[in-house]
Amino acid sequence: MTWSVVQDIAANTIVAVAFFCFIVVFLRNMIGLAQLLIAAWVFATRIEPSEGARELWQRYADLALPITMIAPAYNEELSIVESVKALLALEYPEHEVIVVNDGSKDDTMGRLIAAFDMYPCERTQVAQLQQTQIRQTYASRRFPNLLVVDKENGRKADAANAGLGFARTPLVCVIDADSIIEPDGLLRAAEPFMHDNGRLVAVGGAIRVANGCTVKGGSLQKIDVAKALVPRFQVVEYLRAFLTARVANAQTGTLMLISGAFGLFRRSTLVEIGGYRHDTVGEDLELVVHLHRHLREQKRDYRFAFIPDIVCWTEAPAALKGLDNQRARWQQGSLETLVRHRRMMFNPRYGRIGLLAMPHILLEDVLGPPAELLGYLVLPAAALLGLLDPMMAVAFFFVSIVFGTGLSVGTLALEEQQLRRTPSARSLIRIGWAALLENFGYRQINLWYRIQGVRRFLKKDGTWAAVPRLGFGAD
């Protein structure tokens, strides 16, 4: 093989890679645009103005199904008391709170016992779904609807399963222990179940970033935006994910993810599939995909719902250190789920889930990150070497950066028009600047973190990389 032939092969390979990267990024952004348009249409035509909390209570107080709140907690001493207070204060006729201490190494258990006057009690599990040992259950002398389960460490899925085993209500709500639901959020989530004929399996809500907000006594006193850039960038990301992607996916029947930070489920269906899987770091995605697969294979009529009016506030990583672990874990969990349920991919047996939703996860979580990151390097290099028209590199920049910025700004406009959770014009401007700046550095760093998730998946690294917490109110 001559040197010229080698050069031709190398050149053709570079051109092929460049075109592949461009096509993948173009498709991802076109899907993002379609989701934004569908979400705008849904908000304009399908979602009616929200009733106030008082009207909801008067209408549904006698119809509301009992709910068990399950809050897995691991090393949450900074925010656990505030979070539990918020759960107990939710405006709902009948709900129990089960906090599962998953073998915390800090003083999570001690703070719970002191704050809520807990004492050891006996409580039998209805279903044993966890794999680790239950040490002790505790009841509260002050709050009869509070139960704390102290168990050996088994990670979040195992903790959620332990709580699910103690639940006795028709509905269960799994929520992160470092999250706060707005007071009427539980009633809004339960409302669709009151009108349901048995088809509804789960309801998801919007997750918002609590960094910069004022939290006192377990309730959100003031909504604000963090001064630091990293939490502000995440505000934009969460808006895109929940106000466009989830709304559009729910409308098209392709909702594949109900956030682990907040989700309301029919308990019997979760027990049917054995609860959460223990052998994945992406238990929330895996659960919903598993539910789709189980119900499709049984040929049952079902649906998932998403209600953007339900807002759950969560503490996001305050710095890049911590964000790296979170994003790598999300990426690894997506890959684990895709491999485990690969038979669903492009399989007409699973309807739009197999033909549309699963391929979208493949595009977004498998092909997307490496293609975009590689494209930033390959397309300019190919243009400089004369292998591609320079306008191709310019077009890639436009599609990945300028177009991506437009989608973020469009989502922000949708939020301001429909939900208006941004407290002031000043805060809106700060988020707007974050929507512009995130594409210059932050987005590329996140792509690198996701590549690290691919590496962890290939190494079969099952360790849980924790995210440092500062506690509510810290900035």
Side-chain angles (χ1 to χ4, degrees), residues 329-360:
R329 185 172 70 244
W330 288 358
Q331 180 71 22
Q332 182 183 358
S334 295
L335 294 171
E336 290 172 349
T337 299
L338 280 176
V339 170
R340 181 170 292 115
H341 300 285
R342 59 189 178 276
R343 63 178 293 183
M344 297 174 66
M345 189 78 65
F346 302 111
N347 190 337
R349 178 186 182 187
Y350 299 96
R352 68 187 69 187
I353 301 302
L355 298 176
L356 295 176
M358 294 294 284
H360 180 225

PDB file of all heavy atoms in Angstrom, residues 329-360:
ATOM      1  N   ARG A 329     -22.633   9.695  35.962  1.00  0.00           N
ATOM      2  CA  ARG A 329     -23.553   8.658  36.453  1.00  0.00           C
ATOM      3  C   ARG A 329     -24.810   8.601  35.588  1.00  0.00           C
ATOM      4  O   ARG A 329     -25.305   7.518  35.256  1.00  0.00           O
ATOM      5  CB  ARG A 329     -23.923   8.935  37.905  1.00  0.00           C
ATOM      6  CG  ARG A 329     -24.768   7.841  38.531  1.00  0.00           C
ATOM      7  CD  ARG A 329     -24.957   8.058  40.013  1.00  0.00           C
ATOM      8  NE  ARG A 329     -25.820   9.180  40.300  1.00  0.00           N
ATOM      9  CZ  ARG A 329     -25.453  10.276  40.934  1.00  0.00           C
ATOM     10  NH1 ARG A 329     -24.214  10.406  41.358  1.00  0.00           N
ATOM     11  NH2 ARG A 329     -26.303  11.265  41.160  1.00  0.00           N
ATOM     12  N   TRP A 330     -25.344   9.772  35.208  1.00  0.00           N
ATOM     13  CA  TRP A 330     -26.517   9.791  34.333  1.00  0.00           C
ATOM     14  C   TRP A 330     -26.213   9.092  33.004  1.00  0.00           C
ATOM     15  O   TRP A 330     -27.022   8.322  32.497  1.00  0.00           O
ATOM     16  CB  TRP A 330     -26.953  11.227  34.072  1.00  0.00           C
ATOM     17  CG  TRP A 330     -27.580  11.903  35.251  1.00  0.00           C
ATOM     18  CD1 TRP A 330     -27.832  11.351  36.485  1.00  0.00           C
ATOM     19  CD2 TRP A 330     -28.026  13.258  35.326  1.00  0.00           C
ATOM     20  NE1 TRP A 330     -28.409  12.285  37.312  1.00  0.00           N
ATOM     21  CE2 TRP A 330     -28.537  13.462  36.637  1.00  0.00           C
ATOM     22  CE3 TRP A 330     -28.042  14.319  34.432  1.00  0.00           C
ATOM     23  CZ2 TRP A 330     -29.059  14.685  37.038  1.00  0.00           C
ATOM     24  CZ3 TRP A 330     -28.565  15.535  34.839  1.00  0.00           C
ATOM     25  CH2 TRP A 330     -29.072  15.722  36.126  1.00  0.00           C
ATOM     26  N   GLN A 331     -25.047   9.407  32.443  1.00  0.00           N
ATOM     27  CA  GLN A 331     -24.668   8.803  31.171  1.00  0.00           C
ATOM     28  C   GLN A 331     -24.508   7.290  31.303  1.00  0.00           C
ATOM     29  O   GLN A 331     -25.003   6.519  30.477  1.00  0.00           O
ATOM     30  CB  GLN A 331     -23.358   9.421  30.676  1.00  0.00           C
ATOM     31  CG  GLN A 331     -22.843   8.874  29.356  1.00  0.00           C
ATOM     32  CD  GLN A 331     -23.693   9.316  28.176  1.00  0.00           C
ATOM     33  OE1 GLN A 331     -24.387  10.313  28.257  1.00  0.00           O
ATOM     34  NE2 GLN A 331     -23.635   8.581  27.087  1.00  0.00           N
ATOM     35  N   GLN A 332     -23.836   6.861  32.348  1.00  0.00           N
ATOM     36  CA  GLN A 332     -23.637   5.433  32.568  1.00  0.00           C
ATOM     37  C   GLN A 332     -24.975   4.724  32.754  1.00  0.00           C
ATOM     38  O   GLN A 332     -25.203   3.632  32.205  1.00  0.00           O
ATOM     39  CB  GLN A 332     -22.755   5.224  33.800  1.00  0.00           C
ATOM     40  CG  GLN A 332     -22.448   3.760  34.101  1.00  0.00           C
ATOM     41  CD  GLN A 332     -21.623   3.596  35.370  1.00  0.00           C
ATOM     42  OE1 GLN A 332     -21.242   4.582  36.004  1.00  0.00           O
ATOM     43  NE2 GLN A 332     -21.339   2.368  35.745  1.00  0.00           N
ATOM     44  N   GLY A 333     -25.882   5.345  33.500  1.00  0.00           N
ATOM     45  CA  GLY A 333     -27.194   4.737  33.713  1.00  0.00           C
ATOM     46  C   GLY A 333     -27.983   4.587  32.422  1.00  0.00           C
ATOM     47  O   GLY A 333     -28.676   3.577  32.220  1.00  0.00           O
ATOM     48  N   SER A 334     -27.884   5.577  31.531  1.00  0.00           N
ATOM     49  CA  SER A 334     -28.576   5.489  30.245  1.00  0.00           C
ATOM     50  C   SER A 334     -28.051   4.316  29.425  1.00  0.00           C
ATOM     51  O   SER A 334     -28.833   3.557  28.822  1.00  0.00           O
ATOM     52  CB  SER A 334     -28.394   6.788  29.457  1.00  0.00           C
ATOM     53  OG  SER A 334     -29.006   7.873  30.113  1.00  0.00           O
ATOM     54  N   LEU A 335     -26.750   4.145  29.408  1.00  0.00           N
ATOM     55  CA  LEU A 335     -26.155   3.052  28.643  1.00  0.00           C
ATOM     56  C   LEU A 335     -26.541   1.697  29.233  1.00  0.00           C
ATOM     57  O   LEU A 335     -26.842   0.751  28.492  1.00  0.00           O
ATOM     58  CB  LEU A 335     -24.636   3.208  28.610  1.00  0.00           C
ATOM     59  CG  LEU A 335     -24.118   4.437  27.840  1.00  0.00           C
ATOM     60  CD1 LEU A 335     -22.627   4.606  28.056  1.00  0.00           C
ATOM     61  CD2 LEU A 335     -24.429   4.319  26.362  1.00  0.00           C
ATOM     62  N   GLU A 336     -26.534   1.598  30.551  1.00  0.00           N
ATOM     63  CA  GLU A 336     -26.923   0.342  31.193  1.00  0.00           C
ATOM     64  C   GLU A 336     -28.369  -0.026  30.837  1.00  0.00           C
ATOM     65  O   GLU A 336     -28.683  -1.181  30.553  1.00  0.00           O
ATOM     66  CB  GLU A 336     -26.771   0.461  32.708  1.00  0.00           C
ATOM     67  CG  GLU A 336     -25.322   0.527  33.180  1.00  0.00           C
ATOM     68  CD  GLU A 336     -25.200   0.842  34.660  1.00  0.00           C
ATOM     69  OE1 GLU A 336     -26.219   1.212  35.278  1.00  0.00           O
ATOM     70  OE2 GLU A 336     -24.090   0.718  35.198  1.00  0.00           O
ATOM     71  N   THR A 337     -29.246   0.986  30.841  1.00  0.00           N
ATOM     72  CA  THR A 337     -30.652   0.735  30.525  1.00  0.00           C
ATOM     73  C   THR A 337     -30.837   0.327  29.072  1.00  0.00           C
ATOM     74  O   THR A 337     -31.597  -0.596  28.759  1.00  0.00           O
ATOM     75  CB  THR A 337     -31.488   1.990  30.833  1.00  0.00           C
ATOM     76  OG1 THR A 337     -31.374   2.293  32.238  1.00  0.00           O
ATOM     77  CG2 THR A 337     -32.951   1.770  30.493  1.00  0.00           C
ATOM     78  N   LEU A 338     -30.129   1.008  28.165  1.00  0.00           N
ATOM     79  CA  LEU A 338     -30.237   0.672  26.749  1.00  0.00           C
ATOM     80  C   LEU A 338     -29.773  -0.757  26.474  1.00  0.00           C
ATOM     81  O   LEU A 338     -30.407  -1.488  25.710  1.00  0.00           O
ATOM     82  CB  LEU A 338     -29.424   1.652  25.909  1.00  0.00           C
ATOM     83  CG  LEU A 338     -30.078   3.002  25.614  1.00  0.00           C
ATOM     84  CD1 LEU A 338     -29.111   3.894  24.867  1.00  0.00           C
ATOM     85  CD2 LEU A 338     -31.354   2.828  24.810  1.00  0.00           C
ATOM     86  N   VAL A 339     -28.673  -1.140  27.077  1.00  0.00           N
ATOM     87  CA  VAL A 339     -28.161  -2.498  26.859  1.00  0.00           C
ATOM     88  C   VAL A 339     -29.118  -3.532  27.440  1.00  0.00           C
ATOM     89  O   VAL A 339     -29.404  -4.563  26.811  1.00  0.00           O
ATOM     90  CB  VAL A 339     -26.749  -2.635  27.464  1.00  0.00           C
ATOM     91  CG1 VAL A 339     -26.299  -4.096  27.464  1.00  0.00           C
ATOM     92  CG2 VAL A 339     -25.755  -1.786  26.687  1.00  0.00           C
ATOM     93  N   ARG A 340     -29.640  -3.266  28.627  1.00  0.00           N
ATOM     94  CA  ARG A 340     -30.528  -4.244  29.280  1.00  0.00           C
ATOM     95  C   ARG A 340     -31.826  -4.433  28.497  1.00  0.00           C
ATOM     96  O   ARG A 340     -32.381  -5.541  28.445  1.00  0.00           O
ATOM     97  CB  ARG A 340     -30.829  -3.778  30.705  1.00  0.00           C
ATOM     98  CG  ARG A 340     -31.729  -4.727  31.483  1.00  0.00           C
ATOM     99  CD  ARG A 340     -31.796  -4.352  32.940  1.00  0.00           C
ATOM    100  NE  ARG A 340     -30.505  -4.567  33.588  1.00  0.00           N
ATOM    101  CZ  ARG A 340     -29.753  -3.586  34.094  1.00  0.00           C
ATOM    102  NH1 ARG A 340     -30.139  -2.334  34.008  1.00  0.00           N
ATOM    103  NH2 ARG A 340     -28.601  -3.849  34.665  1.00  0.00           N
ATOM    104  N   HIS A 341     -32.315  -3.366  27.889  1.00  0.00           N
ATOM    105  CA  HIS A 341     -33.588  -3.428  27.163  1.00  0.00           C
ATOM    106  C   HIS A 341     -33.383  -3.262  25.655  1.00  0.00           C
ATOM    107  O   HIS A 341     -34.255  -2.726  24.968  1.00  0.00           O
ATOM    108  CB  HIS A 341     -34.539  -2.355  27.694  1.00  0.00           C
ATOM    109  CG  HIS A 341     -34.862  -2.497  29.150  1.00  0.00           C
ATOM    110  ND1 HIS A 341     -35.726  -3.454  29.643  1.00  0.00           N
ATOM    111  CD2 HIS A 341     -34.405  -1.809  30.239  1.00  0.00           C
ATOM    112  CE1 HIS A 341     -35.808  -3.337  30.967  1.00  0.00           C
ATOM    113  NE2 HIS A 341     -35.011  -2.354  31.349  1.00  0.00           N
ATOM    114  N   ARG A 342     -32.263  -3.724  25.155  1.00  0.00           N
ATOM    115  CA  ARG A 342     -31.923  -3.525  23.740  1.00  0.00           C
ATOM    116  C   ARG A 342     -32.902  -4.217  22.790  1.00  0.00           C
ATOM    117  O   ARG A 342     -33.057  -3.785  21.647  1.00  0.00           O
ATOM    118  CB  ARG A 342     -30.497  -4.000  23.463  1.00  0.00           C
ATOM    119  CG  ARG A 342     -30.238  -5.462  23.787  1.00  0.00           C
ATOM    120  CD  ARG A 342     -28.751  -5.781  23.677  1.00  0.00           C
ATOM    121  NE  ARG A 342     -28.441  -7.163  24.027  1.00  0.00           N
ATOM    122  CZ  ARG A 342     -28.246  -7.583  25.277  1.00  0.00           C
ATOM    123  NH1 ARG A 342     -28.341  -6.721  26.291  1.00  0.00           N
ATOM    124  NH2 ARG A 342     -27.958  -8.850  25.516  1.00  0.00           N
ATOM    125  N   ARG A 343     -33.567  -5.254  23.250  1.00  0.00           N
ATOM    126  CA  ARG A 343     -34.506  -5.955  22.367  1.00  0.00           C
ATOM    127  C   ARG A 343     -35.709  -5.073  22.017  1.00  0.00           C
ATOM    128  O   ARG A 343     -36.441  -5.358  21.052  1.00  0.00           O
ATOM    129  CB  ARG A 343     -34.981  -7.251  23.001  1.00  0.00           C
ATOM    130  CG  ARG A 343     -35.760  -7.081  24.287  1.00  0.00           C
ATOM    131  CD  ARG A 343     -36.248  -8.407  24.845  1.00  0.00           C
ATOM    132  NE  ARG A 343     -37.259  -9.001  23.970  1.00  0.00           N
ATOM    133  CZ  ARG A 343     -37.883 -10.134  24.256  1.00  0.00           C
ATOM    134  NH1 ARG A 343     -37.551 -10.818  25.355  1.00  0.00           N
ATOM    135  NH2 ARG A 343     -38.808 -10.609  23.461  1.00  0.00           N
ATOM    136  N   MET A 344     -35.926  -4.000  22.771  1.00  0.00           N
ATOM    137  CA  MET A 344     -37.018  -3.084  22.473  1.00  0.00           C
ATOM    138  C   MET A 344     -36.679  -2.161  21.301  1.00  0.00           C
ATOM    139  O   MET A 344     -37.585  -1.627  20.653  1.00  0.00           O
ATOM    140  CB  MET A 344     -37.347  -2.239  23.709  1.00  0.00           C
ATOM    141  CG  MET A 344     -37.831  -3.018  24.910  1.00  0.00           C
ATOM    142  SD  MET A 344     -38.046  -1.972  26.381  1.00  0.00           S
ATOM    143  CE  MET A 344     -39.383  -0.908  25.862  1.00  0.00           C
ATOM    144  N   MET A 345     -35.384  -1.965  21.036  1.00  0.00           N
ATOM    145  CA  MET A 345     -34.937  -1.004  20.038  1.00  0.00           C
ATOM    146  C   MET A 345     -35.437  -1.381  18.647  1.00  0.00           C
ATOM    147  O   MET A 345     -35.204  -2.496  18.180  1.00  0.00           O
ATOM    148  CB  MET A 345     -33.409  -0.933  20.055  1.00  0.00           C
ATOM    149  CG  MET A 345     -32.824   0.184  19.208  1.00  0.00           C
ATOM    150  SD  MET A 345     -32.957   1.781  20.021  1.00  0.00           S
ATOM    151  CE  MET A 345     -31.878   1.528  21.430  1.00  0.00           C
ATOM    152  N   PHE A 346     -36.143  -0.449  17.997  1.00  0.00           N
ATOM    153  CA  PHE A 346     -36.685  -0.631  16.641  1.00  0.00           C
ATOM    154  C   PHE A 346     -37.623  -1.838  16.540  1.00  0.00           C
ATOM    155  O   PHE A 346     -37.858  -2.346  15.448  1.00  0.00           O
ATOM    156  CB  PHE A 346     -35.554  -0.776  15.619  1.00  0.00           C
ATOM    157  CG  PHE A 346     -34.604   0.385  15.591  1.00  0.00           C
ATOM    158  CD1 PHE A 346     -33.293   0.240  16.045  1.00  0.00           C
ATOM    159  CD2 PHE A 346     -35.016   1.622  15.123  1.00  0.00           C
ATOM    160  CE1 PHE A 346     -32.417   1.313  16.022  1.00  0.00           C
ATOM    161  CE2 PHE A 346     -34.145   2.706  15.103  1.00  0.00           C
ATOM    162  CZ  PHE A 346     -32.842   2.555  15.558  1.00  0.00           C
ATOM    163  N   ASN A 347     -38.164  -2.283  17.662  1.00  0.00           N
ATOM    164  CA  ASN A 347     -39.030  -3.455  17.675  1.00  0.00           C
ATOM    165  C   ASN A 347     -40.497  -3.001  17.643  1.00  0.00           C
ATOM    166  O   ASN A 347     -40.983  -2.380  18.591  1.00  0.00           O
ATOM    167  CB  ASN A 347     -38.770  -4.289  18.932  1.00  0.00           C
ATOM    168  CG  ASN A 347     -39.455  -5.635  18.908  1.00  0.00           C
ATOM    169  OD1 ASN A 347     -40.449  -5.835  18.204  1.00  0.00           O
ATOM    170  ND2 ASN A 347     -38.933  -6.577  19.672  1.00  0.00           N
ATOM    171  N   PRO A 348     -41.229  -3.305  16.558  1.00  0.00           N
ATOM    172  CA  PRO A 348     -42.616  -2.845  16.461  1.00  0.00           C
ATOM    173  C   PRO A 348     -43.525  -3.406  17.542  1.00  0.00           C
ATOM    174  O   PRO A 348     -44.598  -2.862  17.795  1.00  0.00           O
ATOM    175  CB  PRO A 348     -43.052  -3.315  15.069  1.00  0.00           C
ATOM    176  CG  PRO A 348     -41.976  -4.158  14.528  1.00  0.00           C
ATOM    177  CD  PRO A 348     -40.765  -4.028  15.390  1.00  0.00           C
ATOM    178  N   ARG A 349     -43.103  -4.493  18.192  1.00  0.00           N
ATOM    179  CA  ARG A 349     -43.906  -5.058  19.278  1.00  0.00           C
ATOM    180  C   ARG A 349     -44.149  -4.042  20.383  1.00  0.00           C
ATOM    181  O   ARG A 349     -45.170  -4.081  21.074  1.00  0.00           O
ATOM    182  CB  ARG A 349     -43.201  -6.295  19.832  1.00  0.00           C
ATOM    183  CG  ARG A 349     -43.928  -6.944  21.004  1.00  0.00           C
ATOM    184  CD  ARG A 349     -43.121  -8.078  21.602  1.00  0.00           C
ATOM    185  NE  ARG A 349     -43.833  -8.722  22.698  1.00  0.00           N
ATOM    186  CZ  ARG A 349     -43.306  -9.644  23.486  1.00  0.00           C
ATOM    187  NH1 ARG A 349     -42.057 -10.056  23.280  1.00  0.00           N
ATOM    188  NH2 ARG A 349     -44.007 -10.185  24.471  1.00  0.00           N
ATOM    189  N   TYR A 350     -43.194  -3.120  20.546  1.00  0.00           N
ATOM    190  CA  TYR A 350     -43.283  -2.133  21.623  1.00  0.00           C
ATOM    191  C   TYR A 350     -43.803  -0.785  21.128  1.00  0.00           C
ATOM    192  O   TYR A 350     -43.694   0.222  21.831  1.00  0.00           O
ATOM    193  CB  TYR A 350     -41.919  -1.978  22.295  1.00  0.00           C
ATOM    194  CG  TYR A 350     -41.445  -3.269  22.906  1.00  0.00           C
ATOM    195  CD1 TYR A 350     -40.576  -4.115  22.213  1.00  0.00           C
ATOM    196  CD2 TYR A 350     -41.905  -3.682  24.149  1.00  0.00           C
ATOM    197  CE1 TYR A 350     -40.162  -5.322  22.763  1.00  0.00           C
ATOM    198  CE2 TYR A 350     -41.500  -4.888  24.704  1.00  0.00           C
ATOM    199  CZ  TYR A 350     -40.629  -5.700  23.998  1.00  0.00           C
ATOM    200  OH  TYR A 350     -40.240  -6.907  24.539  1.00  0.00           O
ATOM    201  N   GLY A 351     -44.381  -0.772  19.929  1.00  0.00           N
ATOM    202  CA  GLY A 351     -45.032   0.424  19.424  1.00  0.00           C
ATOM    203  C   GLY A 351     -44.104   1.613  19.327  1.00  0.00           C
ATOM    204  O   GLY A 351     -42.930   1.497  18.968  1.00  0.00           O
ATOM    205  N   ARG A 352     -44.638   2.773  19.668  1.00  0.00           N
ATOM    206  CA  ARG A 352     -43.849   4.016  19.557  1.00  0.00           C
ATOM    207  C   ARG A 352     -42.677   4.040  20.546  1.00  0.00           C
ATOM    208  O   ARG A 352     -41.723   4.776  20.342  1.00  0.00           O
ATOM    209  CB  ARG A 352     -44.751   5.221  19.761  1.00  0.00           C
ATOM    210  CG  ARG A 352     -45.299   5.394  21.169  1.00  0.00           C
ATOM    211  CD  ARG A 352     -46.323   6.505  21.241  1.00  0.00           C
ATOM    212  NE  ARG A 352     -47.542   6.141  20.541  1.00  0.00           N
ATOM    213  CZ  ARG A 352     -48.545   6.997  20.349  1.00  0.00           C
ATOM    214  NH1 ARG A 352     -48.455   8.241  20.779  1.00  0.00           N
ATOM    215  NH2 ARG A 352     -49.641   6.599  19.726  1.00  0.00           N
ATOM    216  N   ILE A 353     -42.759   3.227  21.592  1.00  0.00           N
ATOM    217  CA  ILE A 353     -41.636   3.157  22.532  1.00  0.00           C
ATOM    218  C   ILE A 353     -40.422   2.525  21.846  1.00  0.00           C
ATOM    219  O   ILE A 353     -39.292   3.012  21.963  1.00  0.00           O
ATOM    220  CB  ILE A 353     -42.021   2.357  23.793  1.00  0.00           C
ATOM    221  CG1 ILE A 353     -43.216   3.007  24.494  1.00  0.00           C
ATOM    222  CG2 ILE A 353     -40.834   2.262  24.745  1.00  0.00           C
ATOM    223  CD1 ILE A 353     -43.001   4.441  24.900  1.00  0.00           C
ATOM    224  N   GLY A 354     -40.648   1.416  21.125  1.00  0.00           N
ATOM    225  CA  GLY A 354     -39.546   0.747  20.440  1.00  0.00           C
ATOM    226  C   GLY A 354     -39.092   1.456  19.184  1.00  0.00           C
ATOM    227  O   GLY A 354     -37.909   1.429  18.843  1.00  0.00           O
ATOM    228  N   LEU A 355     -40.033   2.103  18.490  1.00  0.00           N
ATOM    229  CA  LEU A 355     -39.714   2.698  17.191  1.00  0.00           C
ATOM    230  C   LEU A 355     -39.261   4.152  17.284  1.00  0.00           C
ATOM    231  O   LEU A 355     -38.557   4.637  16.395  1.00  0.00           O
ATOM    232  CB  LEU A 355     -40.931   2.598  16.265  1.00  0.00           C
ATOM    233  CG  LEU A 355     -41.405   1.177  15.940  1.00  0.00           C
ATOM    234  CD1 LEU A 355     -42.673   1.218  15.096  1.00  0.00           C
ATOM    235  CD2 LEU A 355     -40.307   0.392  15.224  1.00  0.00           C
ATOM    236  N   LEU A 356     -39.666   4.851  18.353  1.00  0.00           N
ATOM    237  CA  LEU A 356     -39.315   6.271  18.470  1.00  0.00           C
ATOM    238  C   LEU A 356     -38.520   6.585  19.741  1.00  0.00           C
ATOM    239  O   LEU A 356     -37.444   7.188  19.677  1.00  0.00           O
ATOM    240  CB  LEU A 356     -40.589   7.132  18.444  1.00  0.00           C
ATOM    241  CG  LEU A 356     -41.408   7.123  17.147  1.00  0.00           C
ATOM    242  CD1 LEU A 356     -42.685   7.936  17.323  1.00  0.00           C
ATOM    243  CD2 LEU A 356     -40.588   7.668  15.995  1.00  0.00           C
ATOM    244  N   ALA A 357     -39.059   6.184  20.881  1.00  0.00           N
ATOM    245  CA  ALA A 357     -38.462   6.609  22.153  1.00  0.00           C
ATOM    246  C   ALA A 357     -37.093   5.992  22.390  1.00  0.00           C
ATOM    247  O   ALA A 357     -36.147   6.686  22.761  1.00  0.00           O
ATOM    248  CB  ALA A 357     -39.405   6.269  23.303  1.00  0.00           C
ATOM    249  N   MET A 358     -36.960   4.687  22.197  1.00  0.00           N
ATOM    250  CA  MET A 358     -35.667   4.043  22.422  1.00  0.00           C
ATOM    251  C   MET A 358     -34.596   4.526  21.442  1.00  0.00           C
ATOM    252  O   MET A 358     -33.459   4.816  21.846  1.00  0.00           O
ATOM    253  CB  MET A 358     -35.820   2.526  22.364  1.00  0.00           C
ATOM    254  CG  MET A 358     -36.655   1.929  23.483  1.00  0.00           C
ATOM    255  SD  MET A 358     -35.904   2.118  25.121  1.00  0.00           S
ATOM    256  CE  MET A 358     -34.623   0.861  25.047  1.00  0.00           C
ATOM    257  N   PRO A 359     -34.904   4.669  20.128  1.00  0.00           N
ATOM    258  CA  PRO A 359     -33.903   5.250  19.224  1.00  0.00           C
ATOM    259  C   PRO A 359     -33.514   6.672  19.603  1.00  0.00           C
ATOM    260  O   PRO A 359     -32.357   7.069  19.407  1.00  0.00           O
ATOM    261  CB  PRO A 359     -34.601   5.206  17.855  1.00  0.00           C
ATOM    262  CG  PRO A 359     -35.562   4.076  17.964  1.00  0.00           C
ATOM    263  CD  PRO A 359     -36.045   4.110  19.380  1.00  0.00           C
ATOM    264  N   HIS A 360     -34.448   7.434  20.179  1.00  0.00           N
ATOM    265  CA  HIS A 360     -34.090   8.791  20.606  1.00  0.00           C
ATOM    266  C   HIS A 360     -33.089   8.762  21.757  1.00  0.00           C
ATOM    267  O   HIS A 360     -32.151   9.564  21.796  1.00  0.00           O
ATOM    268  CB  HIS A 360     -35.345   9.557  21.032  1.00  0.00           C
ATOM    269  CG  HIS A 360     -35.053  10.951  21.468  1.00  0.00           C
ATOM    270  ND1 HIS A 360     -35.593  11.508  22.601  1.00  0.00           N
ATOM    271  CD2 HIS A 360     -34.237  11.912  20.947  1.00  0.00           C
ATOM    272  CE1 HIS A 360     -35.140  12.734  22.758  1.00  0.00           C
ATOM    273  NE2 HIS A 360     -34.322  13.006  21.772  1.00  0.00           N
TER     274      HIS A 360
END
